[in-house]
Amino acid sequence: SLNCTTAKRESKPAVKVTRVSTRKAYTRPQFRRPHTLRHAPVQKPNTNNKAVKDNWDAFRVIRYPLTSDKAMRKIEANNTLTFIVDARASKVQIKAAFSRQYQVKVAKCNTLIRPDGLKKAYVRMAPIHDALDVANKIGIL
């Protein structure tokens, strides 16, 4: 009879013991969030894979010629044409764009930013070129 009772006890399923955890009471006036599981950041695929295009061409740098009385006097007296150019263009870019667009050699380029925010460029041509001829070709005169 002793063997029968042990056999009955062994045939019963074992009771699983679970640990009961109690939370610690918050005693501080401010709540501090407990540290939780943080996954490593997933690298996003690069969407900016277009070829970088250089938009600085001659037509962006040089906007339009000025035809004021002072600009006309500069054409006749100083062999200089006056243009409104892109405000971010440098003197080197202005020279290159002007020589590429009008096929003339530039001797000097002076710039200033007007009170209305536009950049004005005084482009003086080499003595072998005449500013009157270039102005006629552009259609200023």
Side-chain angles (χ1 to χ4, degrees):
S1 80
L2 190 61
N3 290 340
C4 289
T5 55
T6 55
K8 284 180 184 175
R9 253 189 270 148
E10 289 174 6
S11 65
K12 278 187 181 176
V15 178
K16 187 176 179 186
V17 178
T18 57
R19 182 173 161 245
V20 178
S21 63
T22 58
R23 271 219 175 116
K24 180 177 173 268
Y26 293 113
T27 57
R28 308 179 103 208
Q30 74 268 32
F31 173 75
R32 296 283 186 175
R33 186 182 58 79
H35 297 290
T36 55
L37 176 66
R38 294 203 185 153
H39 295 289
V42 179
Q43 188 84 26
K44 290 182 181 177
N46 187 9
T47 57
N48 188 14
N49 53 8
K50 298 180 211 102
V52 178
K53 186 182 170 193
D54 186 23
N55 290 330
W56 285 103
D57 58 348
F59 296 102
R60 179 179 171 186
V61 173
I62 297 174
R63 295 279 170 86
Y64 54 89
L66 279 183
T67 56
S68 62
D69 290 340
K70 184 179 176 184
M72 293 301 143
R73 261 184 272 135
K74 283 227 177 245
I75 290 173
E76 295 161 8
N78 299 347
N79 203 26
T80 303
L81 289 170
T82 309
F83 284 87
I84 295 295
V85 296
D86 192 294
R88 290 164 296 184
S90 65
K91 291 182 182 183
V92 175
Q93 288 173 322
I94 294 168
K95 275 185 182 183
F98 192 83
S99 61
R100 199 177 316 119
Q101 204 166 350
Y102 300 114
Q103 290 84 39
V104 294
K105 188 176 179 188
V106 177
K108 190 176 181 181
C109 178
N110 290 336
T111 60
L112 64 92
I113 296 181
R114 303 191 322 182
D116 61 357
L118 298 175
K119 186 180 258 190
K120 188 196 297 187
Y122 295 107
V123 181
R124 185 172 189 176
M125 285 175 277
I128 56 172
H129 301 290
D130 188 25
L132 276 169
D133 295 340
V134 177
N136 282 330
K137 190 167 79 171
I138 295 171
I140 296 174
L141 299 177

